Amino acid sequence: SRPVRISVHLHPYGDGRTLLLSRDVTALEQADAMRRDFVANVSHEIRTPLTVLTGFVETLQTLPLSADERSRYLGMMAQQAQRMQSVVQDLLTLSRLEGSPLPGMAEWTPVQSLMQRCEEEGRALSMLLTQNQQRPHAMRFPAADLLRAEGEIAGVPAELQSALSNLVNNAVRYTPGGGSIDVQWLRKDDGSVVFSVHDTGPGIAPEHIPRLTERFYRVDRSRSRETGGTGLGLAIVKHVLQRHGATLDIASTLGKGSVFSVTFPANRLRGFALPG
Ligand code: ADP
């Protein structure tokens, strides 16, 4: 348990009596510490690629380089610029999500189109990440059955898409080639629907799990960066799901793999086939 911080002010009346004002500032101080952490993280995430970029610029300016070398350097510079762009893009997405309530007129979004995009993106990413290896991922998506063909979720289509794709893409990014990724939809008896992504990746130790949706929290920094991660993906997923009345559950076993599941409540759904 964290210590409680009390701020105390003494106001002497001048006649020997004193007024004592005390205030619990625990929450205020915590919010302030979180804000400072956040600013420090943002600065770090932007400054690192900026430092690398500046170094390359200096090299290009001062060293006589062959055309080949120049183009190699420019390629690496483009990569760093891209990284900064992703961080800024994700930060803007987060701040937009935090500031705006879900529009009253949510659209009915067909699960079929959400799934189709998840599958296309997931497979493309898998090809990209395993192109230098002999072992691709084994990926399974739900067949185009009734549930997939007719079910709809009330929400903002682009947000729902980014949240679900993000979980599939993470499974691809953290699972080494040869591993498998299994995407499922399940309608439960209470009318809710569970979307889940199962992978045979490295798994996540229990102490990290509650923190994964914090901004910039990463278990494996290098794997995250190598595969284009900003450390903001799951923070965005969490916000999107909150706005849609949905919840995220993470179950994982070190060395075996992880399951990320999203539960959509019945009152946001229509047209899903009955279970069983
Ligand atoms: P990142 O851009 O780093 O992937 P995320 O917010 O998407 O950021 O994820 C936070 C961290 O959670 C990742 O850095 C990684 O350590 C861990 N993580 C996410 N998905 C998985 C997964 N499927 N398997 C193992 N670790 C994962």
Side-chain angles (χ1 to χ4, degrees), residues 136-150:
H137 292 119
M139 298 183 75
R140 274 189 301 273
F141 288 85
D145 55 12
L146 196 64
L147 174 144
R148 215 177 125 181
E150 297 181 2

Side-chain angles (χ1 to χ4, degrees), residues 8-21:
V8 177
H9 289 277
L10 296 175
H11 290 275
Y13 284 122
D15 61 359
R17 292 180 307 158
T18 301
L19 175 67
L20 183 147
L21 286 172

Side-chain angles (χ1 to χ4, degrees), residues 3-5 15 51 56 78-79 87 110 124 137 145 177 205 207 229 231 246 263 272:
V4 173
R5 306 276 281 170
D15 61 359
T51 306
F56 284 136
Q79 229 169 38
V87 174
H137 292 119
D145 55 12
E207 66 268 26
T263 306
F272 279 87

Side-chain angles (χ1 to χ4, degrees), residues 34-100:
M34 275 174 67
R35 191 188 52 76
R36 276 197 307 270
D37 270 4
F38 177 64
V39 172
N41 277 329
V42 171
S43 311
H44 176 78
E45 294 298 327
I46 305 233
R47 197 175 51 194
T48 309
L50 203 51
T51 306
V52 180
L53 205 50
T54 313
F56 284 136
V57 170
E58 275 166 21
T59 309
L60 282 174
Q61 281 173 332
T62 52
L63 289 185
L65 297 170
S66 69
D68 262 9
E69 283 169 327
R70 283 181 70 86
S71 92
R72 204 162 55 82
Y73 272 68
L74 287 170
M76 292 189 286
M77 289 165 73
Q79 229 169 38
Q80 298 301 320
Q82 175 62 52
R83 195 173 130 193
M84 282 165 54
Q85 211 158 41
S86 306
V87 174
V88 172
Q89 182 64 50
D90 280 357
L91 282 170
L92 287 174
T93 302
L94 257 182
S95 90
R96 190 174 46 75
L97 286 173
E98 278 173 351
S100 68

Side-chain angles (χ1 to χ4, degrees), residues 18-221:
T18 301
L19 175 67
L20 183 147
L21 286 172
S22 75
R23 199 156 66 113
D24 180 353
V25 291
T26 320
L28 262 178
E29 289 202 353
Q30 276 171 9
D32 204 44
M34 275 174 67
R35 191 188 52 76
R36 276 197 307 270
D37 270 4
F38 177 64
V39 172
N41 277 329
V42 171
S43 311
H44 176 78
E45 294 298 327
I46 305 233
R47 197 175 51 194
T48 309
L50 203 51
T51 306
V52 180
L53 205 50
T54 313
F56 284 136
V57 170
E58 275 166 21
T59 309
L60 282 174
Q61 281 173 332
T62 52
L63 289 185
L65 297 170
S66 69
D68 262 9
E69 283 169 327
R70 283 181 70 86
S71 92
R72 204 162 55 82
Y73 272 68
L74 287 170
M76 292 189 286
M77 289 165 73
Q79 229 169 38
Q80 298 301 320
Q82 175 62 52
R83 195 173 130 193
M84 282 165 54
Q85 211 158 41
S86 306
V87 174
V88 172
Q89 182 64 50
D90 280 357
L91 282 170
L92 287 174
T93 302
L94 257 182
S95 90
R96 190 174 46 75
L97 286 173
E98 278 173 351
S100 68
L102 190 66
M105 284 278 296
E107 266 177 63
W108 284 108
T109 310
V111 168
Q112 189 176 32
S113 69
L114 291 172
M115 269 299 89
Q116 204 172 338
R117 272 284 288 282
C118 277
E119 182 163 357
E120 282 165 10
E121 275 184 36
R123 289 195 190 277
L125 186 63
S126 166
M127 291 235 282
L128 188 74
L129 294 177
T130 60
Q131 65 189 349
N132 298 323
Q133 310 168 18
Q134 298 304 311
R135 292 147 50 82
H137 292 119
M139 298 183 75
R140 274 189 301 273
F141 288 85
D145 55 12
L146 196 64
L147 174 144
R148 215 177 125 181
E150 297 181 2
E152 292 177 310
I153 304 172
V156 181
E159 290 183 16
L160 289 170
Q161 186 69 63
S162 87
L164 301 186
S165 287
N166 205 303
L167 297 179
V168 175
N169 294 348
N170 272 355
V172 172
R173 290 168 53 223
Y174 292 101
T175 304
S180 61
I181 290 136
D182 203 351
V183 177
Q184 298 175 4
W185 282 94
L186 180 79
R187 191 186 194 274
K188 303 217 296 202
D189 286 332
D190 64 2
S192 62
V193 161
V194 183
F195 165 85
S196 57
V197 185
H198 308 243
D199 68 50
T200 59
I204 304 156
E207 66 268 26
H208 293 297
I209 291 181
R211 302 199 58 191
L212 295 184
T213 56
E214 288 175 20
R215 297 149 175 214
F216 297 118
Y217 192 84
R218 298 165 167 121
V219 179
D220 178 352
R221 275 180 184 274

